[in-house]
Amino acid sequence: MTTSTESGFSYSQAALRELVENVLADAKRQGATSCDVDVSEGVGQNVSVRLGEVETIEYNRDKGVGVTVYLGQRKGHASTSDFSPQALSQTVSAALAIARYTAEDDCAGLADPDMLATQFPDLDLYHPWDCSVEDAIALAQRCEAAARAVDSRISNSEGATVSSHVGQSVYANSHGFIGPGISSRHSISAAVIAQEGDAMQRDYWYSVARAACDLEDALAIGRQAGERAIARLGARRIKTGDYRVLYDPSLAGGLIGHMISAASGGSLYRKASFLLDSLGKPVFSSIVNITEDPFLPRGMASSAFDAEGVACVQRELVSDGVLNGWLLGSYSARKLGMRSTGNAGGAHNLLVRPTAGDFGDMLKQLGTGLYVTELLGQGVNGITGDYSRGAAGFWVENGQIVHPVEEVTIAGNLKDIFMGIVAIGSDIEMRGSKRVGSILVEKMMVAGA
């Protein structure tokens, strides 16, 4: 098998393609009706410092092959990290042995052939970072030093981390589909602790991107971490009541994520979703518009095809508050009597259209209420939509931050919360797969003192 040393990969794309073709052929020889294969390889480096000293240096080198076989509509799956021909053949045999003991499932099987991707545009996802261990250590030290220099009340540090990772993959199935993938992911982060008297507060900041040149400056990341920690000193509870709530952009994506989970096939066919029977109906206030864009250059969730090889499509997932489509893979689509939407493996980049100005404008629109910067706990019921989370942030009056807040709970039902969205800021969070600004909700119950 040929090799490639580019970015530390042990295998070339051609070698991975040859591997999956051999596995598919072997599965057919061993009696599989159909088969799909996913091979991947990843190489990474992670460097952490704390209080100026090196704490960890980690190298990651992972590879694996997953094989799924079908005997009619009986399914079996097995995986291995051994790429030798013997191990791969044994993996196919193990998957077939499992399939022989599983029950038939009318919805099991590969994706429909006519839905498989035929075009593979360059989405600019691969940008290896030539960052030596020494360079990464120096970068992390500068980042942490910037955080600790913000204020003398920064009393301790959880450290700073610089990470770099590249990965490649090939997915193929017995319909003749072969889809390549190659990408990179880099990050810089810092977390520090501020202290005033006996009170201590922790906060952090980070940046993540496909290309190192798109990362925030390390000094800016450190300063932001330090300033956020200092800003939380003096936090106190507020009186229980119904208030306007402004979600920080870093948390607003979580609200959208609850919708995605409820609109996903597994939740729907199990009838474990608060959005059952909501297709084509308003689920948000009329100001909410969400685009799913799998082809966003350098996007954190960009791809030409999903985990089953189905072609991804750009679509308006939510228009003027109305939910236009589910997020389905082949299996869940068949369970629902529908067709795949190209979402096996999850949603792609979600772009939420802003309706208001920057953060300052959003504070003015909030007027008086709670600005939330941290959520705690997992109090979200995906079946009923009931929502209750511990929260911290800042109390705002007349559009001005008055004091930090801690030890409160915000609660409501996601149906009401979604319908109560009155503004979406242009202060868009760019670090993840959900690009959304701060979200202002008209009313939520806040339990405090």
Side-chain angles (χ1 to χ4, degrees):
M1 186 173 287
T2 58
T3 64
S4 170
T5 58
E6 182 184 7
S7 298
F9 289 138
S10 299
Y11 301 91
S12 66
Q13 278 279 313
L16 296 183
R17 183 182 179 109
E18 179 184 355
L19 185 153
V20 298
E21 289 174 334
N22 290 340
V23 171
L24 289 172
D26 189 36
K28 185 175 181 180
R29 282 195 300 270
Q30 293 195 43
T33 308
S34 59
C35 174
D36 71 4
V37 188
D38 187 14
V39 57
S40 61
E41 179 186 15
V43 181
Q45 174 184 287
N46 191 78
V47 173
S48 296
V49 303
R50 180 174 176 271
L51 300 176
E53 299 295 326
V54 176
E55 191 158 71
T56 60
I57 299 174
E58 299 175 348
Y59 294 98
N60 308 103
R61 179 177 294 277
D62 304 306
K63 61 185 176 73
V65 179
V67 180
T68 301
V69 298
Y70 296 91
L71 292 172
Q73 290 183 300
R74 291 179 291 168
K75 173 183 174 181
H77 176 82
S79 61
T80 182
S81 59
D82 186 342
F83 282 13
S84 69
Q86 181 182 8
L88 294 173
S89 185
Q90 290 173 344
T91 303
V92 172
S93 299
L96 284 165
I98 293 169
R100 292 187 181 100
Y101 287 97
T102 59
E104 290 197 1
D105 187 334
D106 291 343
C107 297
L110 301 178
D112 297 339
D114 64 327
M115 301 196 73
L116 298 174
T118 57
Q119 298 182 7
F120 307 94
D122 180 7
L123 301 177
D124 200 23
L125 305 181
Y126 181 59
H127 297 271
W129 186 9
D130 185 16
C131 184
S132 67
V133 170
E134 292 77 16
D135 289 342
I137 291 171
L139 197 60
Q141 287 173 331
R142 289 199 298 273
C143 182
E144 185 193 39
R148 296 175 65 195
V150 165
D151 193 287
S152 60
R153 290 171 292 176
I154 301 289
S155 62
N156 208 337
S157 171
E158 293 185 0
T161 300
V162 175
S163 297
S164 178
H165 182 271
V166 292
Q168 63 171 342
S169 64
V170 175
Y171 170 82
N173 63 40
S174 48
H175 287 324
F177 176 86
I178 297 184
I182 187 166
S183 64
S184 55
R185 181 185 180 96
H186 315 296
S187 66
I188 303 174
S189 63
V192 291
I193 297 168
Q195 184 171 4
E196 191 169 51
D198 294 332
M200 300 176 70
Q201 295 286 349
R202 171 200 177 274
D203 218 319
Y204 69 97
W205 197 246
Y206 72 97
S207 179
V208 61
R210 294 290 189 186
C213 62
D214 292 333
L215 292 170
E216 290 182 46
D217 178 73
L219 297 180
I221 294 168
R223 284 194 296 269
Q224 183 84 329
E227 289 168 0
R228 286 169 63 93
I230 289 296
R232 295 181 64 159
L233 289 171
R236 56 185 187 269
R237 300 172 77 181
I238 56 177
K239 290 183 179 180
T240 296
D242 291 332
Y243 301 113
R244 290 188 132 206
V245 172
L246 178 64
Y247 281 81
D248 186 79
S250 62
L251 305 179
L255 279 182
I256 305 303
H258 296 316
M259 181 276 290
I260 294 301
S261 178
S264 295
S267 298
L268 294 166
Y269 78 74
R270 295 184 181 94
K271 300 191 181 302
S273 168
F274 67 92
L275 291 181
L276 287 177
D277 303 319
S278 294
L279 193 62
K281 299 177 183 178
V283 298
F284 289 97
S285 70
S286 61
I287 69 167
V288 178
N289 291 274
I290 304 175
T291 301
E292 184 181 22
D293 186 358
F295 309 114
L296 188 68
R298 300 192 184 184
M300 300 309 293
S302 295
S303 181
F305 57 92
D306 72 359
E308 299 175 320
V310 173
C312 295
V313 294
Q314 185 185 79
R315 58 175 172 160
E316 297 302 310
L317 189 60
V318 175
S319 299
D320 300 329
V322 175
L323 180 62
N324 296 323
W326 301 128
L327 294 100
L328 309 175
S330 296
Y331 183 82
S332 60
R334 290 167 187 152
K335 294 287 279 187
L336 295 167
M338 305 176 79
R339 301 202 80 192
S340 173
T341 59
N343 292 109
H348 304 287
N349 305 297
L350 300 174
L351 316 180
V352 184
R353 188 186 309 165
T355 68
D358 59 13
F359 176 65
D361 181 49
M362 292 296 287
L363 278 181
K364 290 178 182 176
Q365 293 207 39
L366 170 61
T368 297
L370 180 64
Y371 165 46
V372 178
T373 60
E374 183 180 21
L375 291 172
L376 307 167
Q378 304 296 322
V380 182
N381 187 321
I383 300 175
T384 65
D386 289 338
Y387 179 97
S388 179
R389 305 285 303 274
F394 298 88
W395 181 247
V396 177
E397 293 180 1
N398 300 317
Q400 300 292 322
I401 291 176
V402 178
H403 64 79
V405 173
E406 65 180 359
E407 295 182 359
V408 298
T409 299
I410 58 174
N413 186 279
L414 285 168
K415 290 182 179 181
D416 299 326
I417 294 169
F418 290 167
M419 284 295 184
I421 293 175
V422 294
I424 302 169
S426 60
D427 50 344
I428 296 174
E429 167 66 59
M430 302 292 287
R431 296 175 295 185
S433 62
K434 302 176 186 68
R435 297 196 174 185
V436 57
S438 50
I439 288 180
L440 177 58
V441 180
E442 178 63 31
K443 184 177 71 173
M444 293 183 69
M445 168 59 73
V446 179

